[in-house]
């Protein structure tokens, strides 16, 4: 694979993740607005809705599952830099590769396991057990393999970027 092809693949994956991340920002805004309205209705007018409360949780699930890939892309994932900060460039590269490969393995496991979970919910047309709850629960459950699929894609892009950057640094004599 040529450097140009690798760069093109990285850009395509990262632009998809960027679009998903920006859409997730709107999900966060909708969730905040929904929570505010639910609280206002509950405490000011003693009115509550099971459907609206469940929607809060569904939006939170969407926010987390779709936002994971964006956080990974932006480097907002949790890291412990206590030791890493003092590593040589070679050790940092090794830690980054191993970490990304482990993340990719976990993402692929979650995808594999969750597909049957989603298919079962779809097959029985699972809905909320609560009266007035949200029907078609399989839709929110389908965000699990989608979210981890996006994490897997972003992880592949991060690995490509890591190797691409390292190759460029070696060509320039910086490693």
């Amino acid at each position: 694979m040529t450097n140009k092809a690798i760069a093109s693949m990285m850009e395509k994956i990262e632009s998809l993740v960027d679009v998903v991340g920006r859409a997730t920002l709107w999900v966060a805004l909708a969730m905040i607005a929904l929570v505010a309205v639910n609280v206002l209705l509950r405490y000011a007018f003693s009115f509550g809705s099971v459907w609206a409360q469940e929607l809060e949780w569904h939006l939170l699930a969407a926010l987390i599952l779709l936002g994971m890939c964006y956080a990974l892309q932006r480097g907002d994932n949790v890291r412990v830099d206590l030791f890493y900060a003092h590593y040589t460039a070679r050790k940092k590269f090794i830690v980054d590769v191993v970490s990304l490969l482990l993340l990719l393995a976990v993402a692929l496991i979650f995808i594999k396991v969750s597909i049957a979970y989603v298919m079962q919910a779809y097959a029985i047309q699972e809905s909320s057990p609560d009266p007035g709850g949200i029907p078609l629960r399989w839709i929110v459950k389908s965000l699990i393999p989608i979210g981890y699929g996006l994490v897997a894609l972003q992880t592949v892009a991060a690995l490509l970027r890591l190797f691409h950057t390292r190759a460029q640094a070696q060509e320039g004599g910086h490693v």
Side-chain angles (χ1 to χ4, degrees):
M1 200 176 241
T2 66
N3 283 343
K4 191 174 184 179
I6 291 171
S8 174
M9 187 183 301
M10 285 184 309
E11 287 175 17
K12 286 177 183 173
I13 292 170
E14 289 179 344
S15 66
L16 170 67
V17 168
D18 198 50
V19 167
V20 170
R22 281 191 254 123
T24 304
L25 295 173
W26 288 103
V27 171
L29 185 61
M31 190 182 85
I32 291 166
L34 180 62
V35 169
V37 168
N38 283 343
V39 168
L40 178 69
L41 290 174
R42 189 175 313 118
Y43 291 107
F45 302 105
S46 296
F47 176 78
S49 165
V50 172
W51 187 87
Q53 282 185 303
E54 286 185 2
L55 185 58
E56 289 176 15
W57 287 101
H58 289 224
L59 289 175
L60 179 62
L63 179 68
I64 292 167
L65 290 166
L66 298 176
M68 291 185 304
C69 61
Y70 190 67
L72 179 62
Q73 182 189 61
R74 299 287 184 231
D76 291 337
N77 49 314
V78 176
R79 284 192 294 240
V80 179
D81 290 337
L82 180 66
F83 302 109
Y84 184 86
H86 301 291
Y87 286 172
T88 63
R90 179 173 162 71
K91 281 185 182 179
K92 286 180 180 181
F93 176 77
I94 292 168
V95 167
D96 290 342
V97 168
V98 169
S99 299
L100 288 169
L101 288 174
L102 287 172
L103 178 59
L104 182 60
V106 168
L108 293 174
I109 289 168
F110 267 91
I111 292 166
K112 184 178 182 338
V113 170
S114 66
I115 288 175
Y117 179 66
V118 173
M119 295 309 294
Q120 179 186 15
Y122 176 76
I124 64 171
Q125 291 296 297
E126 182 181 356
S127 63
S128 173
D130 298 319
I134 295 178
L136 304 176
R137 190 167 270 182
W138 64 269
I139 294 172
V140 74
K141 288 183 176 186
S142 70
L143 292 174
I144 299 169
I146 292 169
Y148 280 98
L150 289 166
V151 167
L153 274 175
Q154 179 53 44
T155 303
V156 167
L159 280 165
L160 290 173
R161 183 167 300 288
L162 191 63
F163 282 104
H164 185 70
T165 303
R166 179 139 174 110
Q168 286 181 328
Q170 286 176 338
E171 287 173 9
H174 297 297
V175 175

